[in-house]
C-alpha cells in the first residue's frame, strides 16, 4: 500500500525518513492487549518476541525501498512503561531492539543513517538515563520532537555515562502545535512563531 506514496514522493524530489514502529499482533508478546491509548493499540507497543522478526522485516524493507530510502528512525517517543502510548515495554527491550535494528541496517546499507526514536524535551530524560545506564545501543542521530527544544539535559546524561554526543535532528516539529485558544492566532503571528522556533533550532545546532 505504501509503494505508490513512496513513488509519488520520489518523483517530486522528496527524501524520506522511514519511521519503523509498531509490532504486529502475531509478533507481540501481548497479543491479547487490545486497549487503545490515544491512537495506539496496546499490543503494538512492545518489542517483538523474537528480534529475528524485526531483522527479517528490515531486510525486506531495505530490499524493497533501500535504493531510495537511506534514513531510518527506530520507534517513536519511547519512555519508561506508562510514560508513552508508543512503548509499553522496558528500556532493556528497546535497547535490544535498537541494537538489532542498527546492526541489521548497517550490514545491509552501510551508507544508511539510523536515528533513535524521537524524544521531546525534559519529559523523556528518565528514559534516556536508563537507556544510557544500560550501555545504550548504537545510533547515528539523536532525534528530538517539539518546539524550542532543550538539549542540555541529554548532553549532561551523555557526559555522565560516557556516551558520545551525536548530532541531533528534529524529526517532529511542533511550531504550530498550540493549545486551544479562545481566538485563533493570526497568520502573521503563526509565521513569526515558526521563524523564531526555526531560528532556535538552528542556533542550537539542529542538523536537519
Amino acid at each position: 500500500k505504501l509503494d505508490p506514496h513512496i513513488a509519488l514522493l520520489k518523483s517530486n524530489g522528496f527524501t524520506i525518513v522511514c519511521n519503523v514502529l509498531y509490532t504486529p499482533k502475531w509478533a507481540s508478546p501481548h497479543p491479547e492487549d487490545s486497549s487503545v491509548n490515544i491512537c495506539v493499540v496496546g499490543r503494538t507497543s512492545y518489542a517483538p518476541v523474537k528480534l529475528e522478526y524485526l531483522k527479517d522485516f528490515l531486510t525486506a524493507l531495505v530490499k524493497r525501498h533501500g535504493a531510495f530510502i537511506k534514513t531510518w528512525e527506530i520507534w517513536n517517543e519511547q519512555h519508561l512503561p506508562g510514560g508513552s502510548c508508543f512503548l509499553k515495554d522496558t528500556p532493556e527491550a528497546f535497547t535490544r531492539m535498537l541494537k538489532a535494528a542498527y546492526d541489521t541496517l548497517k550490514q545491509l546499507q552501510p551508507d544508511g543513517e539510523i536515528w533513535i526514536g524521537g524524544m521531546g524535551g525534559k519529559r523523556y530524560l528518565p528514559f534516556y538515563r536508563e537507556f544510557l545506564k544500560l550501555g545504550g545501543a548504537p545510533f547515528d542521530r539523536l532525534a528530538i520532537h517539539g518546539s524550542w527544544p532543550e538539549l542540555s539535559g541529554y548532553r549532561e546524561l551523555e557526559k555522565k555515562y560516557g556516551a558520545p554526543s551525536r548530532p541531533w535532528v528534529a524529526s517532529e516539529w511542533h511550531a504550530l502545535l498550540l493549545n486551544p485558544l479562545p481566538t485563533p492566532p493570526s497568520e502573521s503571528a503563526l509565521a513569526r512563531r515558526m521563524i523564531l522556533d526555526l531560528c532556535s533550532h538552528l542556533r542550537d545546532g539542529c542538523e536537519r
Side-chain angles (χ1 to χ4, degrees):
K1 293 182 178 180
L2 287 175
D3 287 359
H5 298 282
I6 291 174
L8 182 63
L9 290 166
K10 183 178 180 181
S11 67
N12 282 278
F14 285 86
T15 57
I16 291 178
V17 177
C18 182
N19 189 197
V20 180
L21 72 157
Y22 301 132
T23 295
K25 182 177 181 179
W26 59 266
S28 173
H30 294 283
E32 77 289 348
D33 187 352
S34 59
S35 63
V36 178
N37 186 351
I38 305 176
C39 60
V40 183
V41 180
R43 59 177 168 261
T44 69
S45 58
Y46 298 90
V49 290
K50 293 183 180 179
L51 291 175
E52 285 72 18
Y53 296 151
L54 175 62
K55 296 176 183 178
D56 289 345
F57 173 72
L58 291 173
T59 299
L61 195 59
V62 172
K63 183 177 180 180
R64 192 173 188 91
H65 296 298
F68 178 48
I69 301 176
K70 303 289 185 182
T71 306
W72 314 90
E73 184 174 3
I74 308 303
W75 224 254
N76 180 63
E77 296 186 351
Q78 55 282 343
H79 206 316
L80 303 179
S84 169
C85 64
F86 295 102
L87 186 71
K88 287 187 173 183
D89 222 324
T90 63
E92 290 86 351
F94 173 82
T95 301
R96 292 192 296 269
M97 186 166 56
L98 179 58
K99 184 179 188 307
Y102 184 92
D103 291 346
T104 301
L105 288 168
K106 285 295 186 179
Q107 184 176 5
L108 296 165
Q109 197 182 62
D111 60 337
E113 188 174 281
I114 291 85
W115 298 359
I116 189 172
M119 297 171 283
K122 296 178 180 179
R123 188 167 78 83
Y124 292 86
L125 290 177
F127 170 86
Y128 198 53
R129 178 185 297 110
E130 294 305 309
F131 172 76
L132 295 178
K133 283 172 65 176
L134 291 165
F139 61 93
D140 298 319
R141 296 294 184 272
L142 177 67
I144 296 295
H145 291 176
S147 298
W148 285 274
E150 296 181 21
L151 273 291
S152 59
Y154 293 88
R155 299 314 188 197
E156 289 169 6
L157 287 174
E158 289 161 352
K159 184 177 181 180
K160 179 177 180 179
Y161 293 103
S165 292
R166 283 98 167 173
W168 74 280
V169 292
S171 64
E172 191 175 302
W173 190 25
H174 294 180
L176 298 185
L177 188 61
L178 304 176
N179 291 324
L181 299 171
T183 303
S186 66
E187 289 294 310
S188 60
L190 291 174
R192 181 177 185 274
R193 176 183 168 89
M194 288 180 70
I195 292 298
L196 291 175
D197 196 3
L198 175 62
C199 288
S200 78
H201 277 66
L202 297 175
R203 176 199 63 200
D204 293 336
C206 183
E207 187 179 86
R208 295 174 66 183

